[in-house]
Amino acid sequence: MSEAPDLPDGYEFSADPDRVDTDRVHRWLSTDAYWATGRPRDKHERAAASSLNFGVYASASGEQVAYARVVTDRALFAWLADVYVDPSVRGKGVGTAMIGAVVDHLRPYGLTRILLSTEDAHGVYEKLGFRPLDQPEKWMLRLSG
């Protein structure tokens, strides 16, 4: 698997959940993320509380510029979710570097698989070793509604 790219100068990665700007992240997701538009604040907070939370921050100001969370059993499986990069820093390599840092953070757990779903960022994830499912016919989904 390829090595995680470094963050561009002026940005830092953190796995400290206390650094996450919950207001900003909820606003990003609930208003600008196709998979989470309209997500209520309480659902966002419950999801984050049950997940590992990651951020990228501008070194000078401490302002959060990207977010991701992971749902995992810390032994076999992880689901990468809610990956969001602020439009002001898109195209600078922040998102790719963040996902690489997340994967590195998870490596000590010895997970056998990390899954995600995306409509539009396949190329970003492929750079970091993600690929389409070999046998999608084996996977099932149950939607609540």
Side-chain angles (χ1 to χ4, degrees), residues 84-98:
Y84 188 91
V85 178
D86 188 271
S88 68
V89 299
R90 288 182 190 161
K92 295 181 179 182
V94 168
T96 302
M98 176 179 66

Side-chain angles (χ1 to χ4, degrees), residues 5-8 11 13 56 65-68 80 83-86 89-102 124-125 127-128:
D6 291 330
L7 279 164
Y11 297 96
F13 172 81
V56 173
V65 298
Y67 174 77
L80 177 62
V83 176
Y84 188 91
V85 178
D86 188 271
V89 299
R90 288 182 190 161
K92 295 181 179 182
V94 168
T96 302
M98 176 179 66
I99 298 309
V102 168
V124 171
Y125 295 107
K127 291 177 195 175
L128 296 162

Side-chain angles (χ1 to χ4, degrees), residues 6 20 22 31 36 51 65 67 73 76 81 92 94-95 103 108 110 118 144:
D6 291 330
V20 173
T22 303
T31 64
S51 303
V65 298
Y67 174 77
D73 61 10
L76 301 170
K92 295 181 179 182
V94 168
V103 169
T118 184
S144 297

